[in-house]
Every structure is written in C-alpha cells, then in structure tokens.
Amino acid sequence: MRKKGRVSAFALILILALICAILLITAAAVDNQRTYNREKAVTPTPSITPRTVRITEAPGQPTLSPTPRLLQVNSVGLEVKELQERLRELGYYSGDVDGQYGGGTRTAVQAFQSQHGLDADGIAGESTLNLLYSAGAQRFVATPTPSPTPETAAMLTSGSQGEQVKKLQQRLADLGFYTGKVDGDYGKGTRQAVTVFQSQHGLDADGIAGEKTLKLLYSDQAKKVVVTPTPEAIQVLSGNLPLLVNKEHPIDANFVPAGLVDMSKYCDSSLVKIKYQGTQGVREAVDALVEMLQAAKKDGVTNWQVSAAYRSVKDQQSIFDSNVKSYMNNNGLSKEKAVSATRKTVADPGTSEHHTGLAFDMTVPGTSAFLGTKQCTWLHAHCWDYGFVIRYQKDKEDITGFLAEAWHIRYVGKEHSKVMQERNLCLEEYLELAK
Ligand SMILES: [Zn+2]
C-alpha cells in the first residue's frame, strides 16, 4: 500500500503511536501463545524458543505472524542458501550456494521473475518466493534471439507444410509453446501451440498463424510461455491421504496402529540411538527413517537419537492425569485450574500425533537443544525427500495449534511430503486442498 499526498506531522505521530501500541499488544499475544498445547513427557526441552529454520524474519522485527518474507542484496543465511539452491535446481543460478545474496543471486532472481511475468527487480519478496517454491516454477529458458519474419509467409494453418512451418515450430519451441517434433507439418500440436501463443499475447486464439501472429511471433515482443500453476497435483493424490490427528481431530482412545516394531531392536544402534528401551514405531515409517538417516550418514551427518515415537492414548492420559494431580497437590490449584495449567505443556490425550506411531522426536544424544545443530539443519532440508514433514512450524502455529517444534517429524509418505514442501503447506492446509 502506498500513501498518496501529504500527511501532516501530527497525523504521522498519531499513526506511529498507534503502530507502537499494536506491536506491544501483538508481542503480548505472542507470549500468550505459550498456552498452546506442548508435547511433554519424553519430548526434549530446547533451551531456546523452538523456531524452525525455514522461517525468515527481518532482523530486529518483533515476531509478528505472518512474517513478511523479503530477501535481497546483502541478505545472508539459510533462507538465502535455500533460495540459491532452488534457483540452481531450476537452472537460473550457477554460482556458489553460500547463503550470501550478491549480484549473481540478484541476476538469477531477475531472470526468474522476468520469465514468470513478475516485476524483475531482483528482490525475492513474497510473491516471487511463493512462485519459486511452488509447482508452477518453470525451469530456466534461454532468451531466444528474435529472428526476422520470413518474407514469403503470409498465413500458415492446419495442413500447411514445408520450411516455413518448420521455422514456425522451431520458434514456438524456443519460446516453450511447442514440445513436438520440428517436422514441417502443421498438425494438431502446432495448432495448439499457436493457440496458446495467441491467447497469451492478446491475439485472437484461432490456431491459425496469420500475418499478425507471425509478425508478433518473430519480433522481440514475443514472450515465453507462462505455465499457470494448478492445484491438480494434490487432487490426484487424494486416494490415500495421511492421517490427521490434532485438537479438532482426536484419535479414538482404543486406536492402536498396525505394524508396530520395537525400534530398539529393529534399528541399527550405530545409525540411531533409541533413547528409551521398547520404543515402538510403525514399520513403514521406521524403514523410511532408517533410509533417511543412512542418507544423512553419507552426507557426514551422524549421531542421531529418537526420544519419542509411538505413545498410546492411555499413556498420554496417565501423563496428563499425574500432571493435574501434581498441580492440585503441590500448588494447591483447583481441578479446573490444574487442568488448564497442564494443557500448557501436555497434549490432551487423543490429540498427540505420537498416537499414530508415525511421529518421531529427533534429538542429539547428550544435548537438550536440537535447534541449531547440524542434525537439525540437515533434517529440515532433507526429511521431505524421505516422506517426512516438519510437522509444527513457526509460521503455521495458528493452524496446527502447536508451538513450533524443530525436532518433531511426521511420516506422511514421499508423494505427499514433497508437495507439502514445495508449497509450504502444513498437514491441515494440505488436506484442506485435497478435499
Ligand atoms: Zn513429538
């Protein structure tokens, strides 16, 4: 939003005072978010506020939600690294993935923006980042040099053949509209490509390459194809969706997941330490975990521990009850007050994801803080490739109802986790889209 015209100094001071008041109130509200359910029991207690590494916050800004994302020249850090990696993956960037937003990164961002019809300012703001990490992000296409209009071509249409059609197909292919053979036959594919070119250039989309179409096509005004992102990828997958367990969707008290294995016997202890003897997890998820940690080992990241996995509703109930009791006996609280105090740190029985046997709390043996470790960084970057998601993220606290937990991963299956990562969707959002 931009303010037009002049604002008197007095009004400006008033507005500033108002903004300060809002910031103070918001800061207080953020503190109150500590009243969210927190998993307790065997969950490690980080020494610092849990915050996932995928979040960007402008330095010095209060923790407001949603946090505006803006990366530009002189930005540094993990978010920049991720940006560079993504740009590299798509072919826009060939420099070092060093987390430093320099001239090369800016040029790559500009190229991405201009290819996607965005303002090519070289600043990775919210719309650029959203598109970049979405399924709609296209690979880099080198700008084709404009070629002169072939003199003899006046009109090409279905059934046309020869050199002029070949040139037409080649030009359409260079711009990304045509993916068929450059064979000089004006068939269905060529007509379709011409139609899409026309509609994206404000021409009559009749599929006939007439004078106007050809002139524009061979000029430097010809733009590359724009592929519109569609939510279809999610709909295709809606047959076998991940299980949702949260406050609104508690699990049945008698639910026991199928295929539980004893992780302390099942897993190679040199790969991962299981903190508590007899900890169980669903076999498919444990297999995925092992596969993931083997990959981590190849990357030189070892020394992993699982502090929690499957927990029955009964177990959760007794943890909950003993907390309530302790508040009543030791702090002299009424039952009602003891329950609400307990809810600040212990999930209501039935609402913990650990009931599914598909969630694991990942830690480093001997340390209480997971955030900031190299294991944490690796996990947040790669777990998606093995079917896991970082279930409770900072920017999704309002939706999940849980404070961010850097250590808690949830197995959903590769086909889902990859889409969730690409589109930055938490499970609630993902399932909403898949409906
Ligand atoms: Zn957990």
Side-chain angles (χ1 to χ4, degrees):
M1 276 189 288
R2 202 168 287 174
K3 272 203 180 232
K4 278 180 187 164
R6 279 161 179 262
V7 181
S8 79
F10 178 69
L12 206 69
I13 289 166
L14 255 181
I15 290 166
L16 282 175
L18 207 71
I19 290 171
C20 285
I22 291 168
L23 287 181
L24 279 172
I25 290 164
T26 316
V30 167
D31 261 335
N32 280 338
Q33 281 191 344
R34 305 274 169 262
T35 57
Y36 272 113
N37 278 353
R38 269 292 276 293
E39 287 165 288
K40 205 202 174 183
V42 279
T43 301
T45 320
S47 52
I48 32 177
T49 315
R51 185 167 295 169
T52 67
V53 293
R54 307 183 73 243
I55 309 304
T56 323
E57 275 164 48
Q61 272 193 0
T63 328
L64 293 173
S65 188
T67 318
R69 301 207 289 173
L70 194 77
L71 299 173
Q72 54 191 317
V73 170
N74 292 333
S75 292
V76 287
L78 191 65
E79 195 87 0
V80 176
K81 223 171 171 177
E82 283 178 351
L83 173 77
Q84 290 169 329
E85 246 166 50
R86 178 68 174 157
L87 288 166
R88 204 181 179 143
E89 196 178 284
L90 295 171
Y92 292 90
Y93 183 66
S94 54
D96 287 339
V97 177
D98 57 3
Q100 318 241 355
Y101 200 119
T105 309
R106 190 186 56 205
T107 307
V109 169
Q110 276 172 331
F112 174 81
Q113 288 170 323
S114 81
Q115 191 171 314
H116 290 76
L118 297 168
D119 223 15
D121 57 6
I123 297 169
E126 204 163 1
S127 53
T128 300
L129 290 170
N130 282 345
L131 188 56
L132 182 68
Y133 291 109
S134 77
Q138 301 157 44
R139 289 194 61 78
F140 176 68
V141 182
T143 312
T145 39
S147 48
T149 315
E151 277 155 28
T152 50
M155 189 184 91
L156 298 169
T157 185
S158 292
S160 295
Q161 281 185 325
E163 273 313 300
Q164 301 298 340
V165 177
K166 245 185 179 171
K167 271 187 186 154
L168 172 77
Q169 290 170 327
Q170 189 55 57
R171 178 69 174 158
L172 287 166
D174 288 345
L175 293 168
F177 289 93
Y178 184 66
T179 52
K181 265 191 193 162
V182 178
D183 57 4
D185 276 330
Y186 200 117
K188 205 174 151 192
T190 309
R191 197 184 66 214
Q192 251 168 18
V194 169
T195 306
V196 176
F197 174 82
Q198 289 171 324
S199 81
Q200 290 194 3
H201 288 79
L203 296 168
D204 235 11
D206 58 6
I208 299 167
E211 208 183 330
K212 248 186 179 171
T213 301
L214 290 170
K215 203 173 166 196
L216 187 55
L217 180 69
Y218 290 109
S219 77
D220 56 4
Q221 300 296 305
K223 289 177 290 194
K224 278 166 289 202
V225 71
V226 174
V227 182
T228 321
T230 60
E232 270 151 28
I234 288 181
Q235 274 153 20
V236 174
L237 300 167
S238 54
N240 190 18
L241 289 171
L243 180 60
L244 178 66
V245 177
N246 61 20
K247 281 186 227 170
E248 280 78 41
H249 301 87
I251 212 159
D252 188 89
N254 298 314
F255 176 84
V256 178
L260 285 174
V261 293
D262 182 343
M263 294 177 74
S264 29
K265 288 180 190 151
Y266 192 82
C267 301
D268 178 357
S269 62
S270 71
L271 192 65
V272 56
K273 193 180 158 200
I274 308 301
K275 192 171 182 185
Y276 299 99
Q277 275 285 322
T279 298
Q280 293 177 299
V282 168
R283 184 185 216 123
E284 188 189 343
V286 177
D287 284 339
L289 182 75
V290 168
E291 189 197 348
M292 175 171 76
L293 297 183
Q294 277 164 349
K297 192 177 178 181
K298 273 189 194 153
D299 287 350
V301 182
T302 54
N303 203 22
W304 297 89
Q305 178 176 258
V306 170
S307 321
Y310 171 63
R311 200 183 301 149
S312 71
V313 181
K314 241 186 193 168
D315 288 345
Q316 189 75 15
Q317 185 74 56
S318 58
I319 293 168
F320 194 90
D321 290 345
S322 75
N323 257 268
V324 172
K325 215 175 256 173
S326 147
Y327 273 120
M328 289 170 75
N329 295 342
N330 304 336
N331 304 61
L333 297 185
S334 67
K335 182 157 189 198
E336 200 189 349
K337 281 191 174 159
V339 166
S340 73
T342 300
R343 285 209 168 115
K344 288 180 186 176
T345 51
V346 185
D348 276 280
T351 68
S352 166
E353 259 206 339
H354 287 282
H355 299 323
T356 63
L358 303 168
F360 304 104
D361 287 342
M362 304 304 298
T363 49
V364 178
T367 46
S368 59
F370 185 60
L371 194 76
T373 61
K374 64 173 195 252
Q375 287 86 348
C376 181
T377 305
W378 192 94
L379 189 70
H380 284 233
H382 300 283
C383 73
W384 318 87
D385 295 333
Y386 301 91
F388 289 95
V389 299
I390 306 297
R391 181 68 175 89
Y392 304 118
Q393 303 212 41
K394 181 81 182 139
D395 60 342
K396 307 289 182 188
E397 285 179 350
D398 289 344
I399 305 166
T400 62
F402 277 84
L403 286 178
E405 292 187 359
W407 58 85
H408 180 109
I409 55 170
R410 160 70 198 275
Y411 180 72
V412 293
K414 282 178 196 174
E415 72 271 37
H416 301 299
S417 59
K418 283 178 181 166
V419 180
M420 288 167 75
Q421 180 194 27
E422 268 172 17
R423 302 190 183 190
N424 185 26
L425 299 170
C426 68
L427 188 54
E428 283 82 1
E429 294 173 302
Y430 178 72
L431 292 173
E432 189 61 37
L433 272 178
K435 265 183 189 168

